Amino acid sequence: MTAERTRPEAGASGDDESGARAADKSSQGVVVAFGQSMKTLRVRAGMEREELGKRLGYSASTIASFEQGRRIPPPRAIDRTDDELGADGLLTVWKEQLERAQYPAFFQGMVALEKRAVELLAYDTLVVNGLLQTEEYMRALLGNRRPPLDPEIVEQRVTARLARQDIFDRRPEPFLSYVMCESVLRRKFGGRAVLRGQLEQLLLIGRRRNVELQVMPLDSEDNTGVDGPFTVITREDTKRFVYSEAQGAGALETDPKQAVVSAARYGIIRSQALTPRESLAFVEKLLGEL
């Protein structure tokens, strides 16, 4: 069996760079095409943007941003727009493609895997894992990006990241394990109030029966995670994958041997971290210090 590896890294050369650019352009093309379809159907229905916005609960400027491909509407808004304009499914047929387009091209494969995951093992060293983040924490992180992101992109990324958190309510429940460095829990992105809300959310999620949350103390002399953050994800067909990301680029490793090695490495990291019970107590301690 041939192992595949996707590595659409920013700054790469040759075919990888061309592929990443093509994927990004393709995603934007889907968004623009949907917007054009939406506008055509609205005009055909003889409805102004203000009227459609009033029916959907949006401003006319937001409707314009949908139609101009600057913003992706949430699935529910697409359903309601299809109904209000009598589109007979011409807009709802775009939902799956628009969902993929919400994410950077290099992350779309990972999102697809999350939807089919029965086990997810994540080790994080810089920021709280995206599946655990509060909306305020997300906005603080995105606000720190340089060059700055357009407001429409920020809204798109926040909406997409929040949607991924449906994994916690999925049935049957996947097993979710997170180990994060103590430094992650001490960084005050967005200020003290944002961190407080984030720590409170970690306590809530960490008490779920299918979630194990662990902290790697800064004073630990042993830490096998010296190579940085990574995620091991097991699909329902028992196939494993490894995802890593840095500097706006991601790599999805599909080689079974690498997946086995990464899963073993994660197991060692878990054994070196605080236990789940100790970790929740540690988070409560940090919360009390704020």
Side-chain angles (χ1 to χ4, degrees):
M1 180 174 63
T2 302
E4 299 176 358
R5 194 170 191 178
T6 57
R7 192 179 288 274
E9 298 177 351
S13 59
D15 293 339
D16 284 346
E17 183 177 13
S18 299
R21 288 173 178 171
D24 288 333
K25 289 181 180 179
S26 175
S27 295
Q28 184 58 32
V30 167
V31 179
V32 171
F34 169 83
Q36 292 173 341
S37 298
M38 179 177 171
K39 180 178 180 180
T40 299
L41 291 166
R42 177 182 60 77
V43 173
R44 188 184 71 176
M47 193 180 300
E48 298 293 329
R49 284 173 175 162
E50 289 79 2
E51 176 61 23
L52 180 58
K54 186 181 299 183
R55 296 188 183 191
L56 300 178
Y58 292 108
S59 65
S61 61
T62 298
I63 298 299
S65 69
F66 291 158
E67 294 182 346
Q68 294 164 8
R70 293 184 289 108
R71 185 173 173 183
I72 300 175
R76 184 177 299 178
I78 296 174
D79 290 335
R80 291 191 57 196
T81 302
D82 194 276
D83 289 339
E84 294 292 345
L85 299 180
D88 297 324
L90 292 176
L91 293 180
T92 56
V93 74
W94 291 90
K95 285 170 62 174
E96 185 175 342
Q97 295 183 67
L98 287 173
E99 182 183 5
R100 288 197 300 268
Q102 291 182 97
Y103 304 98
F106 67 81
F107 195 66
Q108 292 177 7
M110 180 59 178
V111 173
L113 286 175
E114 283 182 348
K115 291 181 177 298
R116 300 177 59 187
V118 295
E119 180 185 70
L120 186 146
L121 316 173
Y123 175 60
D124 293 285
T125 62
L126 300 174
V127 299
V128 172
N129 190 280
L131 291 173
L132 304 173
Q133 294 173 9
T134 64
E135 181 175 343
E136 293 75 18
Y137 188 91
M138 294 176 193
R139 294 185 182 280
L141 289 184
L142 293 169
N144 273 291
R145 293 288 179 86
R146 292 298 182 273
L149 297 175
D150 291 336
E152 292 84 1
I153 297 296
V154 171
E155 294 304 318
Q156 176 180 314
R157 297 281 174 85
V158 169
T159 299
R161 198 168 295 180
L162 288 172
R164 288 171 53 216
Q165 295 181 354
D166 287 347
I167 193 172
F168 293 109
D169 300 314
R170 187 182 306 162
R171 296 293 182 272
E173 297 175 324
F175 173 68
L176 307 171
S177 173
Y178 302 91
V179 179
M180 64 190 75
C181 287
E182 176 185 339
S183 58
V184 171
L185 304 176
R186 292 187 177 276
R187 293 194 176 99
K188 296 182 177 65
F189 292 115
R192 191 179 299 268
V194 172
L195 179 57
R196 174 176 290 277
Q198 181 61 71
L199 294 179
E200 290 173 345
Q201 172 138 311
L202 291 178
L203 288 176
L204 290 174
I205 295 177
R207 293 190 177 103
R208 287 175 173 259
R209 64 179 187 176
N210 64 318
V211 176
E212 286 195 349
L213 189 71
Q214 293 179 254
V215 176
M216 178 68 76
L218 285 172
D219 60 3
S220 176
E221 295 183 6
D222 299 310
N223 183 351
T224 304
V226 291
D227 288 335
F230 65 98
T231 300
V232 179
I233 191 162
T234 304
R235 214 165 52 184
E236 54 199 1
D237 58 4
T238 72
K239 291 183 179 179
R240 275 179 169 170
F241 304 83
V242 185
Y243 178 78
S244 59
E245 183 178 322
Q247 295 298 315
L252 184 61
E253 177 63 73
T254 62
D255 184 343
K257 293 181 181 179
Q258 290 300 319
V260 169
V261 170
S262 295
R265 182 182 300 124
Y266 187 83
I268 297 173
I269 292 172
R270 286 181 65 188
S271 70
Q272 294 167 335
L274 299 177
T275 68
R277 187 184 299 275
E278 292 170 340
S279 296
L280 290 180
F282 187 84
V283 174
E284 288 181 336
K285 175 178 175 293
L286 291 180
L287 190 57
E289 295 173 355
L290 289 176

